[in-house]
Amino acid sequence: MSSPQQLALRFHRRRFPPSPAVSTYCSLAPPLPIRDCSFASASSSSVSMSPEISMLIRRAALIFTVLILSALLLYTAADSLRFLRLSSGSLSSSSSFARIFPSYLNKSPSPNPNQQLEEVFNNASMVNKTVILTTLNDAWASPNSVVDLFLKSFMLGDGTHRLLDHLVIVALDEKAYNRCRIVHKHCFALVTEEVDFHQEAYFMTPHYLKMMWRRIDFLRSVLELGYSFVFTDADIMWFRDPFPRFFPDADFQIACDNFLGRPDDMNNRPNGGFKYVKSNNRSIAFYKFWYSARETYPEYHDQDVLNLIKFHPFISDIGLKIRFLDTAYFGGLCEPSRDLNVVCTMHVNCCYGMDSKLHDLKIMLQDWRAFMSLPPDLKNESVISWRVPQNCSLSSLRHYGAPPPEMDVQPEEGD
């Protein structure tokens, strides 16, 4: 008669036959309790199944990896399409006058352009909420081009280096904005719907006229934000701080192609490339009037229109005080500043073409360096004078169309 333990062992062996290795081990090893050999037999069965489990795990890991890589590829493709749509100009703006270029890394919605502009101005403005502004497009933004010479003049000028802290470069296209971010710390991206300003704008072409009027509209917006400004073309070299030469009680001050001797003479020939405008109700009303006048004179650019409306009764009605800046301090190639001891700025106006501008700008900076290297007694004797214009000249200036004969316009480029 079998004992209950023997019966249980037989039943266990029928359900879980021991592997040969375990059978050999149990037969050769010293006598073990029945439960020990049974445990060894069960463990061996579990080990014999591990390759199948391992295969399943590997397959699952492979499938998981493929799914993750596919998801990453789809995300990257979708993000690339989003960037292309943004960089091609599909980003809408709530403002009618400006739009910010999208940041490549910032996935959040672009801020309101007015808020972005105010942030840039707040960082750059002087204590009296005054900023220095210039506009820049791709044609003038390339390395060793106009913008580099413009910034260099601030560094070489007498007391002008600190003014760079208050200069805001307003980029008219994306390449100009990217270049600005490399060479300067205060940049603002301004885009006009359906107009590409990246190419060089030749004097009096339709492209040039759109750019000039776009600038007037933008400057009106600056005044409405409460900021006064000095606007300067980028082809103007800054050699001295101009603020001591400004009239403290004038609302609107502007440089001249031809200065007739008195700052209040309305017959002076203004040059729109350099002006100092205070923000107040009078100047804002004037800029709105100036911009609206483009519809009355569609073939003229902003400077020609200014020459017409400066005599309009509206100017005296609003009480706008206009002053014209003496070319002795704010000169240009149309009428150069003769005395390097007092000159503040020099404009490469009355000039056609990028190559001619760059050539004469470089000569101008060389002349200034030579002057600054002189001992004080020789500076006072004015032994050095400008060697420009050279490549720039009135005879080289070309027009898209002849200006109206009654305007008697003094030609210039880049205003």
Side-chain angles (χ1 to χ4, degrees), residues 100-106 116 119-120 136 141 147 151 169-171 173-189:
I100 306 300
F101 289 118
S103 170
Y104 299 164
L105 299 178
N106 185 12
Q116 182 74 7
E119 181 181 348
V120 174
L136 183 68
V147 68
L151 295 175
I169 297 179
V170 180
D173 57 71
E174 189 168 2
K175 288 185 178 179
Y177 180 71
N178 292 336
R179 173 71 173 147
C180 176
R181 295 294 298 272
I182 295 173
V183 300
H184 192 57
K185 61 182 178 180
H186 301 306
C187 305
F188 178 74

Side-chain angles (χ1 to χ4, degrees), residues 70-371:
S70 300
L72 287 174
L73 288 174
L74 288 173
Y75 175 82
T76 303
D79 193 58
S80 298
L81 289 175
R82 173 186 176 273
F83 168 75
L84 290 174
R85 286 195 297 270
L86 290 175
S87 61
S88 64
S90 65
L91 183 65
S92 62
S93 172
S94 60
S95 170
S96 62
F97 81 90
R99 182 177 63 190
I100 306 300
F101 289 118
S103 170
Y104 299 164
L105 299 178
N106 185 12
K107 305 296 183 181
S108 60
S110 296
N112 182 283
N114 282 349
Q115 295 176 350
Q116 182 74 7
L117 182 61
E118 286 202 72
E119 181 181 348
V120 174
F121 280 5
N122 184 60
N123 292 333
S125 68
M126 304 174 190
V127 292
N128 60 350
K129 292 193 70 174
T130 298
V131 291
I132 302 170
L133 301 175
T134 192
T135 52
L136 183 68
N137 67 352
D138 180 29
W140 285 21
S142 58
N144 302 315
S145 188
V146 173
V147 68
D148 290 324
L149 299 177
F150 173 67
L151 295 175
K152 183 179 290 186
S153 74
F154 281 84
M155 300 175 190
L156 298 176
D158 184 4
T160 53
H161 191 282
R162 63 179 179 82
L163 297 177
L164 285 173
D165 293 335
H166 309 296
L167 171 67
V168 176
I169 297 179
V170 180
L172 301 178
D173 57 71
E174 189 168 2
K175 288 185 178 179
Y177 180 71
N178 292 336
R179 173 71 173 147
C180 176
R181 295 294 298 272
I182 295 173
V183 300
H184 192 57
K185 61 182 178 180
H186 301 306
C187 305
F188 178 74
L190 177 70
V191 174
T192 302
E193 295 292 343
E194 300 179 356
V195 179
D196 182 6
F197 286 145
H198 81 279
Q199 296 179 342
E200 182 179 2
Y202 292 103
F203 184 65
M204 290 306 294
T205 62
H207 185 69
Y208 175 90
L209 294 177
K210 287 181 181 178
M211 184 181 293
M212 295 303 100
W213 286 114
R214 184 68 185 87
R215 187 173 77 184
I216 295 298
D217 191 37
F218 173 73
L219 294 177
R220 183 266 310 161
S221 302
V222 173
L223 295 173
E224 289 182 336
L225 289 175
Y227 288 91
S228 304
F229 62 80
V230 176
F231 178 84
T232 172
D233 278 344
D235 60 347
I236 294 178
M237 302 291 99
W238 284 54
F239 297 125
R240 285 188 179 86
D241 183 353
F243 285 92
R245 297 293 181 181
F246 291 145
F247 298 92
D249 58 343
D251 301 308
F252 179 87
Q253 307 178 52
I254 188 167
C256 297
D257 283 340
N258 300 109
F259 182 72
L260 303 180
R262 291 199 348 260
D264 59 348
D265 187 346
M266 299 300 284
N267 292 304
N268 285 308
R269 306 295 296 180
N271 184 300
F274 187 91
K275 44 190 169 288
Y276 174 39
V277 187
K278 293 181 181 178
S279 175
N280 54 44
N281 292 334
R282 296 181 296 276
S283 61
I284 293 171
F286 169 67
Y287 263 81
K288 289 180 178 179
F289 178 64
W290 189 1
Y291 184 70
S292 66
R294 80 194 188 285
E295 299 176 356
T296 306
Y297 308 101
E299 300 296 325
Y300 302 179
H301 71 86
D302 61 316
Q303 186 169 298
D304 290 339
V305 172
L306 176 60
N307 269 321
L308 292 174
I309 66 173
K310 67 186 180 182
F311 298 106
H312 198 282
F314 178 78
I315 304 300
S316 57
D317 289 345
I318 63 175
L320 184 76
K321 190 169 185 177
I322 298 177
R323 290 293 179 265
F324 298 90
L325 300 172
D326 192 336
T327 52
Y329 310 114
F330 304 93
L333 298 189
C334 297
E335 192 170 289
S337 302
R338 299 299 178 186
D339 188 354
L340 275 70
N341 287 286
V342 299
V343 62
C344 294
T345 63
M346 274 284 287
H347 190 181
V348 183
N349 50 9
C350 294
C351 187
Y352 171 81
M354 177 71 74
D355 292 339
S356 296
K357 276 186 178 291
L358 288 174
H359 178 273
D360 281 22
L361 281 170
K362 291 175 182 177
I363 297 297
M364 192 182 293
L365 286 178
Q366 290 175 10
D367 292 343
W368 176 256
R369 276 177 163 169
F371 170 78

Side-chain angles (χ1 to χ4, degrees), residues 8-18:
L9 179 59
R10 289 172 189 166
F11 175 76
H12 177 79
R13 286 175 177 171
R14 283 198 300 269
R15 292 187 61 192
F16 305 103

